[in-house]
Coordinates of all heavy atoms in Angstrom, one line a residue:
M8 N -10.9 -11.4 -24.2 CA -9.5 -10.7 -24.2 C -8.6 -11.8 -23.8 O -8.8 -12.4 -22.9 CB -9.5 -9.4 -23.4 CG -8.1 -9.0 -23.2 SD -8.0 -7.4 -22.4 CE -8.5 -6.4 -23.7
S9 N -7.5 -11.9 -24.5 CA -6.5 -12.8 -24.0 C -5.5 -12.1 -23.1 O -5.3 -10.9 -23.3 CB -5.8 -13.5 -25.2 OG -5.1 -12.5 -26.0
A10 N -4.8 -12.8 -22.3 CA -3.8 -12.2 -21.4 C -2.5 -12.0 -22.1 O -2.1 -12.8 -23.1 CB -3.5 -13.1 -20.1
T11 N -1.7 -11.1 -21.7 CA -0.4 -10.8 -22.2 C 0.6 -11.3 -21.1 O 0.5 -10.8 -19.9 CB -0.1 -9.3 -22.5 OG1 -1.0 -8.8 -23.5 CG2 1.3 -9.0 -22.9
W12 N 1.5 -12.1 -21.4 CA 2.5 -12.7 -20.4 C 3.6 -11.7 -20.4 O 4.3 -11.6 -21.4 CB 3.0 -14.0 -21.0 CG 1.9 -15.0 -20.8 CD1 0.8 -15.3 -21.6 CD2 1.8 -16.0 -19.7 NE1 0.1 -16.3 -21.0 CE2 0.6 -16.7 -19.8 CE3 2.5 -16.2 -18.5 CZ2 0.2 -17.7 -19.0 CZ3 2.0 -17.2 -17.6 CH2 0.8 -17.9 -17.9
V13 N 3.9 -11.1 -19.3 CA 4.9 -10.2 -19.1 C 6.1 -10.8 -18.5 O 7.3 -10.6 -18.8 CB 4.4 -9.0 -18.2 CG1 5.6 -8.0 -18.0 CG2 3.3 -8.3 -18.9
G14 N 5.9 -11.7 -17.6 CA 7.0 -12.4 -16.8 C 7.8 -11.5 -15.9 O 7.7 -10.2 -15.9
D15 N 8.5 -12.2 -15.1 CA 9.4 -11.4 -14.1 C 10.4 -10.5 -15.0 O 11.1 -10.8 -15.7 CB 10.2 -12.3 -13.3 CG 9.4 -13.1 -12.3 OD1 8.2 -12.5 -11.9 OD2 9.7 -14.2 -11.8
G16 N 10.4 -9.2 -14.5 CA 11.3 -8.2 -15.1 C 10.8 -7.8 -16.5 O 11.7 -7.2 -17.2
G17 N 9.7 -8.2 -17.0 CA 9.4 -7.9 -18.4 C 8.8 -6.5 -18.6 O 8.7 -5.8 -17.6
T18 N 8.6 -6.1 -19.8 CA 8.1 -4.8 -20.0 C 6.6 -4.9 -20.3 O 6.1 -5.7 -21.0 CB 8.8 -4.2 -21.3 OG1 10.2 -4.3 -21.1 CG2 8.3 -2.8 -21.7
W19 N 5.9 -4.0 -19.8 CA 4.4 -3.9 -19.8 C 4.2 -3.2 -21.2 O 4.8 -2.3 -21.6 CB 3.9 -3.1 -18.8 CG 3.8 -3.6 -17.4 CD1 4.6 -4.6 -16.9 CD2 2.7 -3.5 -16.4 NE1 4.3 -4.9 -15.5 CE2 3.2 -4.2 -15.3 CE3 1.7 -2.7 -16.3 CZ2 2.4 -4.3 -14.1 CZ3 1.0 -2.7 -15.2 CH2 1.3 -3.5 -14.0
P20 N 3.1 -3.8 -21.9 CA 2.8 -3.1 -23.2 C 2.1 -1.8 -22.9 O 1.6 -1.5 -21.7 CB 1.7 -4.1 -23.8 CG 1.2 -4.8 -22.6 CD 2.2 -4.9 -21.6
E21 N 2.1 -0.9 -23.9 CA 1.5 0.4 -23.6 C 0.0 0.3 -23.8 O -0.5 -0.6 -24.6 CB 1.9 1.4 -24.7 CG 3.4 1.9 -24.5 CD 3.8 3.0 -25.5 OE1 2.9 3.9 -25.7 OE2 5.0 3.0 -25.8
A22 N -0.6 1.0 -22.8 CA -2.2 0.9 -22.9 C -2.7 2.4 -22.8 O -2.2 3.2 -22.1 CB -2.7 0.0 -21.8
E23 N -3.6 2.7 -23.7 CA -4.1 4.1 -23.7 C -5.5 4.1 -23.1 O -6.3 3.1 -23.3 CB -4.2 4.5 -25.1 CG -2.8 4.8 -25.8 CD -2.9 5.5 -27.1 OE1 -3.9 6.1 -27.4 OE2 -1.9 5.2 -27.8
A24 N -5.8 5.2 -22.4 CA -7.2 5.2 -21.9 C -8.1 5.6 -23.0 O -7.7 6.1 -23.9 CB -7.2 6.4 -20.8
G25 N -9.4 5.1 -22.7 CA -10.4 5.3 -23.9 C -10.9 6.8 -23.7 O -10.5 7.6 -22.8
P26 N -11.8 7.2 -24.8 CA -12.3 8.4 -24.8 C -13.2 8.7 -23.5 O -13.7 7.7 -22.9 CB -13.2 8.5 -26.1 CG -12.8 7.2 -26.9 CD -12.2 6.3 -25.9
V27 N -13.4 9.8 -23.1 CA -14.2 10.2 -21.9 C -15.5 9.6 -21.9 O -16.1 9.2 -20.9 CB -14.0 11.8 -21.5 CG1 -15.0 12.4 -22.6 CG2 -14.5 12.0 -20.2
D28 N -16.2 9.5 -23.0 CA -17.6 9.1 -23.1 C -17.7 7.6 -23.4 O -18.7 7.0 -23.7 CB -18.3 9.8 -24.2 CG -17.8 9.8 -25.5 OD1 -16.6 9.4 -25.7 OD2 -18.5 10.3 -26.4
A29 N -16.5 6.8 -23.5 CA -16.4 5.4 -23.9 C -17.1 4.5 -22.7 O -16.9 4.9 -21.5 CB -15.0 4.9 -24.1
P30 N -17.7 3.4 -23.0 CA -18.2 2.6 -21.9 C -17.1 2.0 -21.1 O -16.0 2.0 -21.5 CB -19.0 1.4 -22.6 CG -18.3 1.5 -24.0 CD -17.8 2.9 -24.3
P31 N -17.3 1.5 -19.9 CA -16.3 0.8 -19.1 C -15.7 -0.2 -19.9 O -16.3 -1.0 -20.5 CB -17.2 0.3 -17.8 CG -18.3 1.1 -17.7 CD -18.7 1.5 -19.2
T32 N -14.3 -0.2 -19.8 CA -13.5 -1.2 -20.7 C -12.4 -1.7 -20.0 O -11.8 -1.2 -19.3 CB -13.1 -0.4 -22.0 OG1 -14.2 0.2 -22.5 CG2 -12.5 -1.3 -23.0
L33 N -12.2 -3.1 -20.3 CA -11.0 -3.9 -19.9 C -10.1 -3.6 -21.0 O -10.3 -4.0 -22.1 CB -11.4 -5.3 -19.8 CG -10.2 -6.3 -19.4 CD1 -9.5 -6.0 -18.3 CD2 -10.6 -7.7 -19.6
R34 N -8.9 -3.0 -20.6 CA -7.9 -2.6 -21.5 C -6.8 -3.7 -21.7 O -6.2 -3.8 -22.7 CB -7.2 -1.2 -21.2 CG -8.2 -0.1 -21.2 CD -8.6 0.3 -22.5 NE -9.6 1.3 -22.5 CZ -10.4 1.7 -23.5 NH1 -10.1 1.2 -24.6 NH2 -11.3 2.5 -23.3
A35 N -6.5 -4.4 -20.6 CA -5.4 -5.3 -20.7 C -5.5 -6.2 -19.5 O -5.8 -5.8 -18.4 CB -4.0 -4.7 -20.6
V36 N -5.1 -7.5 -19.6 CA -4.9 -8.4 -18.6 C -3.3 -8.8 -18.8 O -3.1 -9.3 -19.8 CB -5.7 -9.7 -18.7 CG1 -5.4 -10.7 -17.6 CG2 -7.2 -9.3 -18.6
L37 N -2.6 -8.7 -17.6 CA -1.2 -8.9 -17.7 C -0.8 -10.0 -16.7 O -1.1 -9.9 -15.5 CB -0.5 -7.7 -17.3 CG -0.7 -6.4 -18.2 CD1 -0.1 -5.2 -17.7 CD2 -0.3 -6.6 -19.6
V38 N -0.1 -11.0 -17.2 CA 0.4 -12.1 -16.3 C 1.8 -11.8 -16.0 O 2.6 -11.6 -16.8 CB 0.3 -13.4 -17.1 CG1 0.9 -14.5 -16.2 CG2 -1.2 -13.8 -17.5
L39 N 2.1 -11.5 -14.7 CA 3.4 -11.0 -14.3 C 4.4 -12.0 -14.0 O 5.6 -11.7 -13.8 CB 3.1 -10.1 -13.1 CG 2.1 -8.9 -13.3 CD1 1.9 -8.2 -12.0 CD2 2.4 -8.0 -14.4
K40 N 4.0 -13.3 -13.8 CA 5.0 -14.3 -13.5 C 5.2 -15.1 -14.7 O 4.3 -15.4 -15.6 CB 4.4 -15.1 -12.3 CG 4.1 -14.4 -11.0 CD 5.5 -14.1 -10.5 CE 5.3 -13.4 -9.0 NZ 6.5 -12.9 -8.5
D41 N 6.3 -15.8 -14.8 CA 6.6 -16.8 -15.8 C 5.8 -18.0 -15.7 O 5.4 -18.3 -14.5 CB 8.1 -17.1 -15.8 CG 9.1 -16.0 -16.2 OD1 8.6 -15.1 -17.0 OD2 10.1 -16.0 -15.7
R42 N 5.4 -18.6 -16.8 CA 4.7 -19.8 -16.7 C 5.4 -20.8 -15.8 O 6.7 -20.9 -15.9 CB 4.5 -20.4 -18.1 CG 3.5 -21.5 -18.2 CD 3.4 -22.0 -19.6 NE 2.9 -21.0 -20.6 CZ 1.7 -20.6 -20.8 NH1 0.7 -21.3 -20.2 NH2 1.4 -19.7 -21.6
D43 N 4.8 -21.5 -15.0 CA 5.3 -22.5 -14.0 C 6.1 -21.9 -12.9 O 6.7 -22.6 -12.1 CB 6.2 -23.6 -14.7 CG 5.3 -24.5 -15.7 OD1 4.1 -24.6 -15.4 OD2 5.8 -24.9 -16.8
A44 N 5.9 -20.6 -12.8 CA 6.6 -19.9 -11.5 C 6.0 -20.4 -10.3 O 4.7 -20.6 -10.2 CB 6.6 -18.4 -11.8
R45 N 6.8 -20.5 -9.3 CA 6.3 -20.8 -7.9 C 5.7 -19.6 -7.4 O 6.1 -18.5 -7.3 CB 7.3 -21.4 -7.0 CG 6.8 -21.7 -5.7 CD 8.0 -22.3 -4.9 NE 7.5 -22.7 -3.6 CZ 7.1 -23.9 -3.2 NH1 7.0 -24.8 -4.2 NH2 6.7 -24.2 -2.0
L46 N 4.4 -19.7 -6.8 CA 3.6 -18.6 -6.3 C 3.7 -18.7 -4.8 O 3.4 -19.8 -4.2 CB 2.2 -18.6 -6.7 CG 1.9 -18.5 -8.1 CD1 0.4 -18.5 -8.4 CD2 2.5 -17.2 -8.8
G47 N 4.0 -17.6 -4.0 CA 4.1 -17.6 -2.7 C 3.0 -16.7 -2.0 O 2.2 -16.2 -2.8
P48 N 3.2 -16.4 -0.7 CA 2.3 -15.4 -0.1 C 2.4 -14.1 -0.8 O 3.5 -13.6 -1.2 CB 2.8 -15.3 1.3 CG 3.7 -16.6 1.5 CD 4.2 -16.9 0.1
L49 N 1.2 -13.4 -0.8 CA 1.1 -12.0 -1.4 C 1.6 -11.1 -0.3 O 0.8 -10.7 0.6 CB -0.2 -11.8 -1.9 CG -0.6 -10.4 -2.6 CD1 0.5 -10.4 -3.7 CD2 -1.9 -10.3 -2.9
E50 N 2.8 -10.6 -0.3 CA 3.3 -9.7 0.8 C 3.6 -8.3 0.2 O 3.8 -7.4 1.0 CB 4.5 -10.4 1.4 CG 4.2 -11.7 2.2 CD 5.5 -12.4 2.7 OE1 6.6 -12.0 2.3 OE2 5.3 -13.4 3.4
S51 N 3.8 -8.2 -1.1 CA 4.1 -6.9 -1.7 C 3.6 -7.0 -3.2 O 3.2 -7.9 -3.6 CB 5.6 -6.6 -1.7 OG 6.3 -7.4 -2.6
S52 N 3.6 -5.8 -3.8 CA 3.0 -5.9 -5.2 C 3.9 -6.7 -6.1 O 3.4 -7.1 -7.2 CB 3.0 -4.4 -5.7 OG 4.3 -3.8 -5.8
E53 N 5.1 -7.0 -5.8 CA 6.0 -7.9 -6.7 C 5.5 -9.3 -6.6 O 6.0 -10.1 -7.4 CB 7.5 -7.8 -6.3 CG 8.1 -6.4 -6.6 CD 8.2 -5.4 -5.6 OE1 8.3 -5.9 -4.3 OE2 8.3 -4.3 -5.8
D54 N 4.7 -9.7 -5.6 CA 4.2 -11.0 -5.4 C 3.0 -11.4 -6.3 O 2.7 -12.4 -6.5 CB 4.0 -11.3 -4.1 CG 5.2 -11.1 -3.2 OD1 6.2 -11.5 -3.5 OD2 5.0 -10.8 -1.9
R55 N 2.4 -10.3 -7.0 CA 1.2 -10.6 -7.8 C 1.6 -11.4 -9.0 O 2.6 -11.3 -9.6 CB 0.6 -9.2 -8.3 CG 0.1 -8.4 -7.1 CD -0.6 -7.1 -7.7 NE -1.1 -6.4 -6.5 CZ -1.0 -5.1 -6.5 NH1 -0.3 -4.3 -7.3 NH2 -1.4 -4.4 -5.4
A56 N 0.6 -12.3 -9.4 CA 0.7 -13.1 -10.5 C 0.0 -12.5 -11.8 O 0.4 -12.7 -12.8 CB 0.2 -14.5 -10.3
V57 N -1.0 -11.8 -11.5 CA -1.9 -11.2 -12.6 C -2.3 -9.8 -12.1 O -2.7 -9.5 -11.1 CB -3.1 -12.0 -12.8 CG1 -4.0 -11.4 -13.9 CG2 -2.8 -13.5 -13.1
T58 N -2.5 -8.9 -13.2 CA -3.1 -7.6 -12.8 C -3.9 -7.2 -14.1 O -3.7 -7.9 -15.2 CB -2.0 -6.5 -12.5 OG1 -2.6 -5.4 -12.1 CG2 -1.1 -6.1 -13.8
F59 N -4.6 -6.2 -14.1 CA -5.4 -5.8 -15.2 C -5.6 -4.3 -15.2 O -5.5 -3.6 -14.2 CB -6.8 -6.5 -15.3 CG -7.6 -6.4 -14.1 CD1 -8.5 -5.3 -13.8 CD2 -7.6 -7.3 -13.2 CE1 -9.3 -5.2 -12.7 CE2 -8.4 -7.3 -12.0 CZ -9.1 -6.2 -11.7
L60 N -5.8 -3.8 -16.5 CA -6.0 -2.3 -16.5 C -7.4 -2.1 -17.2 O -7.9 -2.7 -18.2 CB -5.0 -1.8 -17.6 CG -3.5 -2.1 -17.3 CD1 -2.6 -1.6 -18.4 CD2 -3.1 -1.4 -16.0
I61 N -8.1 -1.2 -16.4 CA -9.6 -0.9 -16.8 C -9.7 0.6 -16.8 O -8.9 1.3 -16.1 CB -10.5 -1.6 -15.8 CG1 -10.3 -1.1 -14.4 CG2 -10.4 -3.1 -16.0 CD1 -11.3 -1.7 -13.4
D62 N -10.8 1.1 -17.5 CA -11.2 2.5 -17.3 C -12.7 2.6 -17.5 O -13.3 1.7 -18.1 CB -10.3 3.4 -18.2 CG -10.5 3.2 -19.6 OD1 -11.4 2.4 -20.0 OD2 -9.9 4.0 -20.6
A63 N -13.1 3.6 -16.9 CA -14.5 3.9 -17.1 C -14.9 5.4 -16.9 O -14.1 6.1 -16.2 CB -15.4 3.1 -16.0
P64 N -16.0 5.9 -17.3 CA -16.2 7.4 -17.1 C -16.5 7.8 -15.8 O -16.4 8.9 -15.3 CB -17.4 7.6 -18.0 CG -17.7 6.3 -18.7 CD -17.0 5.3 -18.1
T65 N -17.0 7.0 -14.8 CA -17.4 7.3 -13.4 C -16.8 6.3 -12.5 O -16.4 5.1 -12.8 CB -18.8 7.3 -13.2 OG1 -19.4 6.0 -13.3 CG2 -19.5 8.1 -14.2
P66 N -16.5 6.7 -11.2 CA -15.9 5.8 -10.3 C -16.9 4.6 -10.0 O -16.4 3.5 -9.8 CB -15.9 6.7 -9.0 CG -15.7 8.1 -9.5 CD -16.6 8.1 -10.7
E67 N -18.1 4.9 -10.1 CA -19.2 3.7 -9.8 C -19.0 2.7 -11.0 O -19.0 1.5 -10.7 CB -20.6 4.2 -9.7 CG -20.8 5.1 -8.6 CD -20.4 6.6 -8.7 OE1 -20.1 7.0 -9.9 OE2 -20.2 7.4 -7.7
Q68 N -18.9 3.1 -12.2 CA -18.7 2.2 -13.3 C -17.4 1.5 -13.3 O -17.3 0.3 -13.4 CB -18.9 2.9 -14.6 CG -20.3 3.4 -14.8 CD -20.4 4.2 -16.2 OE1 -19.5 5.0 -16.5 NE2 -21.4 4.0 -16.9
L69 N -16.4 2.1 -12.8 CA -15.1 1.6 -12.6 C -15.1 0.5 -11.6 O -14.6 -0.6 -11.8 CB -14.0 2.6 -12.2 CG -12.5 2.2 -12.3 CD1 -12.2 1.9 -13.6 CD2 -11.7 3.3 -11.7
D70 N -15.7 0.8 -10.5 CA -15.9 -0.3 -9.4 C -16.6 -1.5 -9.8 O -16.2 -2.6 -9.6 CB -16.6 0.3 -8.1 CG -15.7 1.4 -7.4 OD1 -14.5 1.4 -7.6 OD2 -16.3 2.1 -6.6
A71 N -17.7 -1.3 -10.6 CA -18.4 -2.4 -11.1 C -17.7 -3.2 -12.1 O -17.7 -4.5 -12.1 CB -19.8 -1.8 -11.8
L72 N -16.9 -2.5 -13.0 CA -16.1 -3.3 -13.9 C -15.0 -4.1 -13.2 O -14.7 -5.2 -13.5 CB -15.5 -2.4 -15.0 CG -14.6 -3.0 -16.0 CD1 -15.3 -4.0 -16.8 CD2 -14.1 -1.9 -17.0
E73 N -14.4 -3.5 -12.2 CA -13.4 -4.1 -11.4 C -13.9 -5.4 -10.8 O -13.3 -6.4 -10.9 CB -12.8 -3.2 -10.4 CG -11.7 -4.0 -9.4 CD -11.3 -3.2 -8.4 OE1 -11.8 -2.0 -8.0 OE2 -10.2 -3.6 -7.7
E74 N -15.1 -5.3 -10.2 CA -15.7 -6.5 -9.6 C -15.9 -7.7 -10.6 O -15.6 -8.7 -10.4 CB -17.0 -6.0 -9.0 CG -17.7 -7.1 -8.1 CD -18.8 -6.7 -7.5 OE1 -18.8 -5.5 -6.8 OE2 -19.9 -7.4 -7.5
R75 N -16.5 -7.2 -11.8 CA -16.7 -8.2 -12.9 C -15.4 -8.9 -13.4 O -15.3 -10.1 -13.6 CB -17.4 -7.6 -14.1 CG -18.9 -7.3 -13.7 CD -19.7 -6.9 -15.0 NE -19.0 -6.4 -16.1 CZ -19.1 -5.1 -16.4 NH1 -19.8 -4.3 -15.5 NH2 -18.5 -4.6 -17.5
V76 N -14.4 -8.1 -13.6 CA -13.1 -8.6 -14.1 C -12.4 -9.4 -12.9 O -12.0 -10.6 -13.3 CB -12.0 -7.5 -14.5 CG1 -10.7 -8.1 -14.8 CG2 -12.7 -6.7 -15.7
R77 N -12.4 -9.0 -11.7 CA -11.9 -9.9 -10.7 C -12.6 -11.3 -10.5 O -11.9 -12.2 -10.4 CB -12.0 -9.2 -9.4 CG -11.0 -8.2 -9.0 CD -11.2 -7.5 -7.6 NE -10.3 -6.6 -7.4 CZ -9.1 -6.7 -6.7 NH1 -8.8 -8.0 -6.3 NH2 -8.1 -5.9 -6.5
A78 N -13.9 -11.3 -10.8 CA -14.7 -12.6 -10.7 C -14.4 -13.5 -11.9 O -14.4 -14.7 -11.8 CB -16.1 -12.3 -10.8
A79 N -13.8 -12.9 -13.0 CA -13.6 -13.6 -14.3 C -12.2 -14.2 -14.4 O -12.0 -15.2 -15.0 CB -13.8 -12.7 -15.5
V80 N -11.1 -13.5 -13.7 CA -9.8 -14.0 -13.8 C -9.7 -15.1 -13.0 O -9.9 -15.2 -11.8 CB -8.9 -12.8 -13.4 CG1 -7.4 -13.3 -13.3 CG2 -9.0 -11.6 -14.4
R81 N -8.9 -16.2 -13.5 CA -8.7 -17.4 -12.8 C -7.2 -17.8 -13.0 O -6.6 -17.5 -14.0 CB -9.5 -18.6 -13.3 CG -11.1 -18.4 -13.1 CD -11.4 -18.6 -11.6 NE -12.8 -18.5 -11.5 CZ -13.4 -17.6 -10.9 NH1 -12.7 -16.5 -10.6 NH2 -14.7 -17.5 -10.7
L82 N -6.7 -18.5 -12.0 CA -5.4 -19.1 -12.1 C -5.5 -20.7 -12.0 O -6.3 -21.1 -11.3 CB -4.5 -18.7 -11.0 CG -4.2 -17.2 -10.7 CD1 -3.4 -17.0 -9.5 CD2 -3.5 -16.7 -11.9
T83 N -4.7 -21.3 -12.8 CA -4.7 -22.7 -12.7 C -3.4 -23.1 -12.0 O -2.3 -22.7 -12.3 CB -4.5 -23.4 -14.1 OG1 -5.9 -23.0 -14.8 CG2 -4.6 -24.9 -14.0
V84 N -3.6 -23.7 -10.9 CA -2.4 -24.1 -9.9 C -2.2 -25.5 -9.9 O -3.1 -26.4 -9.8 CB -2.7 -23.6 -8.5 CG1 -1.7 -23.9 -7.6 CG2 -3.1 -22.0 -8.4
R85 N -0.9 -25.8 -10.1 CA -0.6 -27.4 -10.2 C -0.1 -27.8 -8.7 O 0.6 -27.2 -8.1 CB 0.6 -27.6 -11.1 CG 0.3 -27.4 -12.5 CD 1.3 -28.1 -13.4 NE 1.0 -27.7 -14.8 CZ 1.8 -27.1 -15.6 NH1 2.9 -26.7 -15.3 NH2 1.4 -27.0 -16.9
E86 N -0.9 -28.8 -8.3 CA -0.6 -29.3 -7.0 C -0.4 -30.8 -7.3 O -0.8 -31.4 -8.3 CB -1.8 -29.2 -6.1 CG -2.0 -27.6 -5.7 CD -3.1 -27.4 -4.7 OE1 -3.7 -28.3 -4.2 OE2 -3.3 -26.2 -4.4
E87 N 0.1 -31.4 -6.2 CA 0.4 -32.9 -6.4 C -0.8 -33.7 -6.8 O -0.7 -34.7 -7.5 CB 1.0 -33.4 -5.1 CG 2.3 -32.9 -4.9 CD 3.0 -33.4 -3.6 OE1 2.7 -34.7 -3.3 OE2 3.7 -32.8 -2.9
A88 N -2.0 -33.3 -6.4 CA -3.2 -34.0 -6.7 C -3.8 -33.6 -8.1 O -4.7 -34.2 -8.5 CB -4.3 -33.8 -5.7
G89 N -3.2 -32.7 -8.9 CA -3.6 -32.2 -10.1 C -3.9 -30.8 -10.2 O -3.7 -30.0 -9.2
D90 N -4.3 -30.3 -11.3 CA -4.6 -28.8 -11.6 C -5.8 -28.4 -10.8 O -6.9 -29.0 -10.7 CB -4.8 -28.5 -13.0 CG -3.5 -28.7 -13.8 OD1 -2.4 -28.8 -13.1 OD2 -3.4 -28.6 -15.0
V91 N -5.7 -27.3 -10.1 CA -6.8 -26.6 -9.4 C -7.1 -25.2 -9.8 O -6.1 -24.5 -10.0 CB -6.4 -26.6 -7.8 CG1 -7.6 -26.0 -7.1 CG2 -6.2 -28.0 -7.3
V92 N -8.3 -24.9 -10.3 CA -8.6 -23.6 -10.7 C -9.1 -22.8 -9.6 O -9.9 -23.1 -8.8 CB -9.6 -23.5 -11.8 CG1 -9.9 -22.2 -12.3 CG2 -9.1 -24.4 -13.0
R93 N -8.5 -21.5 -9.3 CA -8.8 -20.7 -8.1 C -9.0 -19.3 -8.7 O -8.4 -18.8 -9.5 CB -7.6 -20.6 -7.1 CG -7.4 -22.1 -6.5 CD -6.4 -21.9 -5.5 NE -6.3 -23.2 -4.7 CZ -5.2 -23.7 -4.2 NH1 -4.2 -22.9 -4.2 NH2 -5.1 -24.7 -3.7
P94 N -9.9 -18.5 -8.0 CA -9.9 -17.1 -8.3 C -8.6 -16.4 -8.2 O -7.9 -16.8 -7.2 CB -11.0 -16.6 -7.2 CG -11.7 -17.7 -6.8 CD -10.7 -18.9 -7.0
A95 N -8.3 -15.4 -9.0 CA -7.0 -14.8 -8.7 C -6.9 -13.8 -7.7 O -5.8 -13.5 -7.2 CB -6.7 -14.0 -10.2
A96 N -8.1 -13.3 -7.3 CA -8.1 -12.2 -6.2 C -8.0 -12.9 -4.7 O -8.5 -14.0 -4.5 CB -9.3 -11.4 -6.3

């Protein structure tokens, strides 16, 4: 799944929940900051750079999917020494 760039002040796309018997599913990955935006400390929800929407039939499946998605999402951060890839969480 590719990410959707929402950017600061952007509109989130509509996402629908799956059927009750659907397997755990990643519905969307949303990039909330503009490309090349400066990232600062995470002090409130507005400071987030990325979020995702998931659903699953049970809380246990939801937790397992969240863990897999968190492990898979990466940010590329430009620093003076070059690009550095870091976990998003």
Side-chain angles (χ1 to χ4, degrees):
M8 165 172 289
S9 60
T11 300
W12 290 81
V13 176
D15 290 332
T18 302
W19 288 30
E21 287 190 37
E23 294 185 25
V27 70
D28 59 348
T32 304
L33 172 63
R34 299 289 172 190
V36 176
L37 305 172
V38 180
L39 306 175
K40 299 290 183 185
D41 291 331
R42 191 178 304 271
D43 295 325
R45 183 176 177 92
L46 301 179
L49 186 58
E50 297 174 350
S51 73
S52 61
E53 287 100 27
D54 298 330
R55 292 184 180 136
V57 177
T58 194
F59 53 86
L60 304 175
I61 56 176
D62 67 0
T65 69
E67 296 79 18
Q68 290 175 320
L69 191 64
D70 289 344
L72 179 57
E73 178 185 9
E74 189 174 313
R75 289 196 326 263
V76 173
R77 283 181 177 267
V80 173
R81 297 282 183 263
L82 298 176
T83 300
V84 180
R85 289 195 184 124
E86 295 184 358
E87 291 183 35
D90 289 351
V91 178
V92 176
R93 297 190 177 145

